[in-house]
Amino acid sequence: MSEVFGQVNRRRSCSSYRNGDCCFFMQENCADCGAKMRYCTTNYFEKRQDHFACANYRSNTGSCSAHFIRVAVLEDLVWMHMKAIILYVTQYEKHFRAVMEHKLLLSSEEKICASVKRLEQAQRRMGELDRLFIRIYEDNVAGRINDGRFSMISRSYETEQEQLKVEIQTLQQDIEVQERQIENLEQFIQRVHKYNDLDDLTPYALRELVKRVYIETPDKSSGKWRQNIRIFYDLVGFIPLNELMKEETA
């Protein structure tokens, strides 16, 4: 799937919408134009006409196209994918775990290497700034630089050090998160098993399993309306369902 149109994220239960029918709440931005996505419904709509649309579209007068997805279509697509994932994990848990571990480890290793490299650079720079501060202090005491110059340079060093401290803390947290990927996978599998007998999409199941839903631009090149979505699952990210099923049936 190519360009991502926007995001729909679950933030509240079905009761947030008319008649308690919708499981979704919109993410704030449209990927095409940066505007907010909005949930559209009125008393004049039939339930099947409720939809999500880009806020920048106003009957061809806005800066974005008439891009929308009906709520009923979105719920069907998400439920279809979730149901396939639940069934696959239930039947082929060992294979699912092996494939996802490989995927997550490769992704984590790349991110960890980049984060560790930048962390080492930031820590070295912190040490350099400490040494530089001592040097300018000694120069100030010896009269080689005046008080005004010393004050300006020291403020600059202190500002950079504060920025580096924040960056170092963020990098350390990122590395810790990446190192927990396998633990996250096991937690996701346990959550999936809770829904082996689920017969329909519910807000609670959506909250437990799905983090974001990316809606692509509808494809009408074949003469038929084709709507694709990409689901980012909580704890594990995108799951290559098509590849998994091909491998299992090969």
Side-chain angles (χ1 to χ4, degrees):
M1 298 181 183
S2 55
E3 291 298 319
V4 174
F5 169 76
Q7 301 176 7
V8 176
N9 198 357
R10 80 287 176 278
R11 289 189 183 173
R12 56 188 180 186
S13 70
C14 292
S15 60
S16 302
Y17 294 106
R18 183 184 67 174
N19 300 326
D21 293 317
C22 181
C23 291
F24 299 94
F25 182 70
M26 297 180 304
Q27 185 75 344
E28 294 295 330
N29 297 323
C30 164
D32 283 351
C33 67
K36 291 183 178 181
M37 297 283 289
R38 62 186 179 188
Y39 180 83
C40 302
T41 184
T42 75
N43 291 331
Y44 300 104
F45 283 178
E46 296 179 24
K47 176 181 177 293
R48 62 184 179 82
Q49 292 177 292
D50 290 359
H51 60 276
F52 291 102
C54 174
N56 254 348
Y57 173 70
R58 299 181 187 87
S59 300
N60 293 323
T61 62
S63 59
C64 199
S65 62
H67 191 130
F68 74 98
I69 184 170
R70 296 191 189 282
V71 171
V73 173
L74 179 60
E75 290 183 344
D76 285 345
L77 290 172
V78 170
W79 173 231
M80 190 186 308
H81 199 276
M82 283 178 59
K83 188 162 54 174
I85 292 295
I86 293 169
L87 181 62
Y88 191 91
V89 173
T90 302
Q91 293 183 345
Y92 308 109
E93 180 180 332
K94 184 176 179 181
H95 184 250
F96 177 82
R97 180 182 285 105
V99 171
M100 291 302 295
E101 280 183 357
H102 181 68
K103 173 181 176 289
L104 292 171
L105 284 173
L106 284 179
S107 174
S108 297
E109 285 175 3
E110 293 176 1
K111 291 179 181 177
I112 288 173
C113 286
S115 296
V116 167
K117 183 178 180 180
R118 177 55 195 154
L119 178 62
E120 291 173 349
Q121 292 172 343
Q123 289 172 332
R124 281 198 301 271
R125 180 57 180 167
M126 284 285 286
E128 291 173 2
L129 289 170
D130 286 336
R131 292 190 292 273
L132 289 169
F133 187 85
I134 292 172
R135 185 182 302 170
I136 64 168
Y137 174 78
E138 292 173 346
D139 287 345
N140 178 249
V141 171
R144 288 189 287 272
I145 61 173
N146 60 38
D147 291 345
R149 180 71 172 166
F150 170 76
S151 178
M152 182 186 71
I153 296 174
S154 62
R155 280 200 302 271
S156 174
Y157 288 166
E158 287 170 355
T159 298
E160 186 177 354
Q161 280 189 321
E162 288 302 315
Q163 292 171 344
L164 285 169
K165 285 178 182 177
V166 173
E167 183 180 8
I168 287 170
Q169 183 179 9
T170 300
L171 287 166
Q172 289 172 334
Q173 290 173 347
D174 288 345
I175 292 169
E176 183 180 345
V177 168
Q178 293 302 318
E179 289 175 341
R180 289 203 304 264
Q181 288 290 357
I182 301 305
E183 179 183 333
N184 290 345
L185 174 60
E186 292 304 319
Q187 188 177 345
F188 177 78
I189 291 173
Q190 289 175 15
R191 288 185 187 179
V192 169
H193 282 309
K194 290 168 56 177
Y195 298 105
N196 288 349
D197 300 322
L198 190 66
D199 296 322
D200 200 2
L201 181 64
T202 66
Y204 189 75
L206 193 66
R207 285 195 297 270
E208 280 247 286
L209 298 180
V210 175
K211 189 170 185 179
R212 288 187 297 276
V213 180
Y214 293 85
I215 306 168
E216 297 190 357
T217 303
D219 181 6
K220 294 173 279 188
S221 58
S222 65
K224 295 181 179 180
W225 184 285
R226 182 178 177 82
Q227 182 76 64
N228 291 324
I229 64 171
R230 298 176 65 209
I231 299 179
F232 190 92
Y233 285 90
D234 196 27
L235 299 171
V236 296
F238 296 110
I239 298 176
L241 181 61
N242 291 340
E243 295 177 22
L244 287 168
M245 296 182 73
K246 285 178 182 178
E247 290 176 11
E248 197 58 45
T249 56

